[in-house]
Amino acid sequence: MEDTRRLDVLAQAMIGTIAAVAGLMTLLGLNSDRIWATLDDDAGHLPLIAAAVAAVVAIGLSLLALLVEQRRREAALLAGAAVAYLLALLLAVLSAASAANTAGRPTFTSVSLATTADGGAELAFVVKADSLDSDQRIAVEVGAGADFAEQVLVTTLRPSPLGRVEHEATLTLPGELASSVRIRAARTDDTLRECNESAVAPTCVILTVGQ
């Protein structure tokens, strides 16, 4: 009877560990897409892997506690399992926070540059950014002409209460500026960089009519 009760307690602890960690991640929005993105991040994947390891350790210590006869050792193993369980929950929170934080990096979507009937061009794009603080802003610049020196658009976007920016823009360019265009975006506390710089640099796109 005693062994059955201990097995029931162990089974509940194991199921509770897995369910609690998975449920907490789901509650915090860490879905399958976010998990893969977090695993692909050089720094962000560490808390996620550590959370899984801590959950396995909690289950392993619970199994060892079932096998020992001495009450003191059993209590020590169960205490270790409880610590590993709590650590798994903490790391799950850190994993979710890492997955949610994109550091306000902007990105362009739906980008196009098409010629118009009068020889000009129409530029369209959407700039998006997430995880912005309330005092952060996204700067957007559109340059055209020789070396993109002609600034067609310079604007600053503020985030929504949820820390997001999603702005759709459509610009009509005259013929002398229509052949090639550069659009760049970055947080205002960062730098608008060239398109050929580091892959982790703020978003920068060069468009040429006909491409």
Side-chain angles (χ1 to χ4, degrees), residues 2-211:
E2 177 67 18
D3 289 341
T4 302
R5 186 189 67 82
R6 292 173 64 190
L7 282 172
D8 289 342
V9 171
L10 176 61
Q12 292 175 7
M14 292 172 65
I15 294 172
T17 299
I18 297 172
V21 173
L24 182 60
M25 289 183 173
T26 301
L27 180 65
L28 295 175
L30 195 60
N31 55 26
S32 58
D33 290 338
R34 286 286 190 179
I35 288 175
W36 286 115
T38 304
L39 285 173
D40 190 51
D41 189 285
D42 290 340
H45 71 281
L46 295 178
L48 183 61
I49 295 175
V53 171
V56 171
V57 169
I59 294 172
L61 291 176
S62 298
L63 287 172
L64 288 176
L66 178 66
L67 299 176
V68 300
E69 297 293 338
Q70 295 183 5
R71 293 297 183 184
R72 288 185 178 180
R73 290 184 179 179
E74 180 185 20
L77 288 170
L78 289 176
V83 171
Y85 166 72
L86 293 175
L87 180 61
L89 292 180
L90 175 60
L91 291 169
V93 174
L94 294 177
S95 299
S98 176
N101 183 24
T102 60
R105 293 190 295 269
T107 184
F108 290 117
T109 62
S110 304
V111 180
S112 65
L113 181 65
T115 56
T116 58
D118 60 358
E122 183 177 86
L123 171 67
F125 63 87
V126 177
V127 59
K128 296 181 179 181
D130 293 311
S131 301
L132 290 164
D133 296 333
S134 59
D135 60 342
Q136 289 181 320
R137 303 290 184 268
I138 295 295
V140 180
E141 175 200 84
V142 178
D147 297 325
F148 310 109
E150 184 73 24
Q151 291 188 330
V152 180
L153 174 69
V154 178
T155 187
T156 302
L157 307 174
R158 64 184 304 161
S160 70
L162 296 178
R164 298 173 182 168
V165 163
E166 183 170 353
H167 179 72
E168 182 177 353
T170 301
L171 303 172
T172 300
L173 307 175
E176 65 272 14
L177 300 177
S179 61
S180 188
V181 178
R182 180 186 64 190
I183 55 176
R184 298 189 292 176
R187 294 196 319 267
T188 52
D189 57 348
D190 207 332
T191 304
L192 289 165
R193 304 188 185 186
E194 295 301 326
C195 294
N196 58 356
E197 292 191 7
S198 170
V200 298
T203 301
C204 179
V205 179
I206 293 177
L207 299 171
T208 302
V209 170
Q211 294 186 353

